[in-house]
Amino acid sequence: MSDLRIDRVETVLLDIPLRRPHRFARVGMEAQPVLYVFVRTAGGVTGVGEGVVPGGPWWGGESVETMQLIVERYVAPVLVGRRVDDIHALLRDVTDVVGANLFAKAAVEVALHDAWARCLDVPVHTLLGGLARTSIPVTWALGIESATVVIEEALGKLDAGLHHSFKLKMGAQDPAADVARICAVAEKLSGVAGVRVDINARWDRLTSLTHLPTLAEAGVEMIEQPVPGTEIETLAEINAALPIPVMADETLRTPSDALRVARLRAADILAVKTTKCGGLRASMEIAAIGAAAGIPTHGATSIESPVGTAASLHFACAAPGVTWGSELFGPLLMAEEMLVEPLHYADGELHLPEGPGLGIELDPDKIRAFRRD
């Protein structure tokens, strides 16, 4: 085993173009900004992690620019000279210097796991306890476009055998019009594909209780985060009122949040993003809390490139509680392949790559092509 001492931490910002514009309730994007964090050991082994947020700082307060500053100025000095396998102590000491900033910490934590696993010549999922599965179903996310546009895209994915369930964004339009749009999509896809919606925390209690029952009657199978993340009691009330599952996303970032959700039965599904939760280990803890409470976990996305997607896939395949599929479609939305060997999507699922660490290799030409000056 090579020398495990960390001798260098480097970052690079990229803007990766998308195949089509992707819109959330509040913002849209035509390219995804990404931060790559590289942790190199004295033995010459390099691990990589990804810092990325869904569409910018509107979601959790961080951006790739803030992440880069935090990692370079405050986190890197804590790491250099320490052993890459001393992850618990490293993260404890990082937290003494940097509060919150879970997206930035996730990028570093994943890079540490990738480097350590490569030093051991084992995959990252081995460090997480081994495999519960080797692939995960992938739901395709659709934007806030008209029903006609959304239906056309969904049917194209179905005809190609790429995806069997779809999640639509809501919250940017008048609620009644938005509901009518979703009902039209659900009617068209009834019996052939699952339809889910994400309101991105844009509605209030009364709007949710007024309009969400109509979506359930139309055949929508899941509602994600209708109200702001801090309104956990309201989320619990909505969850109790609906005959279909509610999924917690903005409400859920830490294991402590997961415990509150479980105690209040505020959601029937936990949306776990390794990015928003601070990395792989916290994600595993959240999934375990959910499993103990009888609440399944869903492998959610921040629209990661293949690096963050591979990290989330290792988590999803190692955590027994991840039984409600995933949205790990990020690389499919990107117009350029960032890896030497692409991740393997087939039959509506994403399959775990083989090899040490994350099992991936970034294409250096693509990094140069999309790197910011």
Side-chain angles (χ1 to χ4, degrees):
M1 186 169 59
S2 61
D3 191 334
L4 295 179
R5 286 176 298 118
I6 300 167
D7 70 357
R8 188 180 305 171
V9 178
E10 298 176 335
T11 66
V12 59
L13 285 177
L14 300 90
D15 293 290
I16 305 174
L18 302 182
R19 296 183 182 275
R20 59 153 170 81
H22 189 74
R23 290 200 59 82
F24 302 89
R26 308 184 189 193
V27 301
M29 60 183 186
E30 296 184 359
Q32 175 64 306
V34 168
L35 172 74
Y36 288 150
V37 175
F38 299 94
V39 172
R40 195 180 108 165
T41 70
V45 174
T46 299
V48 61
E50 176 177 342
V52 62
V53 289
W58 69 274
W59 197 96
E62 293 180 69
S63 69
V64 293
E65 296 84 5
T66 67
M67 293 179 219
Q68 185 178 48
L69 176 65
I70 288 293
V71 172
E72 291 186 349
R73 182 171 298 182
Y74 298 103
V75 177
V78 176
L79 304 184
V80 173
R82 308 273 293 275
R83 286 173 58 97
V84 76
D85 61 341
D86 198 13
I87 293 179
H88 282 302
L90 289 172
L91 296 179
R92 177 200 64 209
D93 294 346
V94 165
T95 299
D96 285 342
V97 177
V98 179
N101 287 276
L102 293 177
F103 286 88
K105 290 176 181 176
V108 172
E109 193 249 27
V110 169
L112 291 170
H113 278 87
D114 187 33
W116 181 23
R118 289 178 187 274
C119 288
L120 297 174
D121 196 31
V122 299
V124 163
H125 61 72
T126 297
L127 304 182
L128 303 179
L131 289 176
R133 58 191 64 83
T134 59
S135 65
I136 192 85
V138 178
T139 293
W140 181 254
L142 300 162
I144 61 170
E145 292 77 16
S146 68
T148 301
V149 172
V150 166
I151 290 168
E152 182 179 2
E153 183 174 349
L155 291 177
K157 298 293 183 183
L158 282 169
D159 291 343
L162 298 176
H163 301 277
H164 309 301
S165 63
F166 301 92
K167 190 178 82 172
L168 289 81
K169 294 291 185 179
M170 298 183 69
Q173 303 178 20
D174 171 77
D178 223 0
V179 166
R181 177 179 69 96
I182 299 300
C183 289
V185 174
E187 180 181 3
K188 186 67 175 181
L189 298 182
S190 177
V192 295
V195 174
R196 309 164 181 183
V197 300
D198 181 5
I199 304 173
N200 279 139
R202 291 288 284 174
W203 285 2
D204 58 23
R205 172 185 174 276
L206 185 57
T207 302
S208 299
L209 292 174
T210 299
H211 292 288
L212 291 181
T214 302
L215 293 179
E217 292 169 4
V220 171
E221 63 182 14
M222 184 273 289
I223 307 292
E224 181 176 348
Q225 197 69 45
V227 294
T230 55
E231 298 180 11
I232 189 169
E233 291 83 4
T234 300
L235 190 67
E237 181 182 357
I238 293 167
N239 189 39
L242 292 178
I244 59 175
V246 169
M247 183 158 71
D249 185 11
E250 280 87 342
T251 292
L252 175 69
R253 299 188 69 174
T254 68
S256 296
D257 293 337
L259 187 58
R260 290 184 66 210
V261 169
R263 282 175 171 167
L264 293 174
R265 306 307 297 185
D268 292 319
I269 307 165
L270 304 179
V272 174
K273 302 169 182 171
T274 58
T275 49
K276 73 171 179 178
C277 298
L280 298 164
R281 298 201 174 195
S283 298
M284 293 290 291
E285 291 176 10
I286 291 170
I289 290 169
I295 304 174
T297 291
H298 171 75
T301 184
S302 294
I303 319 294
E304 298 92 345
S305 82
V307 173
T309 300
S312 295
L313 179 60
H314 277 267
F315 151 68
C317 288
V322 183
T323 56
W324 230 80
S326 80
E327 293 170 52
L328 301 181
F329 62 85
L332 298 177
L333 188 61
M334 294 177 179
E336 298 286 341
E337 176 55 58
M338 300 302 295
L339 301 182
V340 173
E341 182 68 29
L343 293 172
H344 179 50
Y345 291 87
D347 302 320
E349 302 207 354
L350 174 58
H351 298 261
L352 193 69
E354 297 180 355
L358 294 175
I360 60 172
E361 181 183 353
L362 279 165
D363 185 336
D365 291 336
K366 294 299 176 66
I367 293 178
R368 283 191 289 270
F370 301 111
R371 181 174 186 164
R372 288 190 192 176
D373 295 333

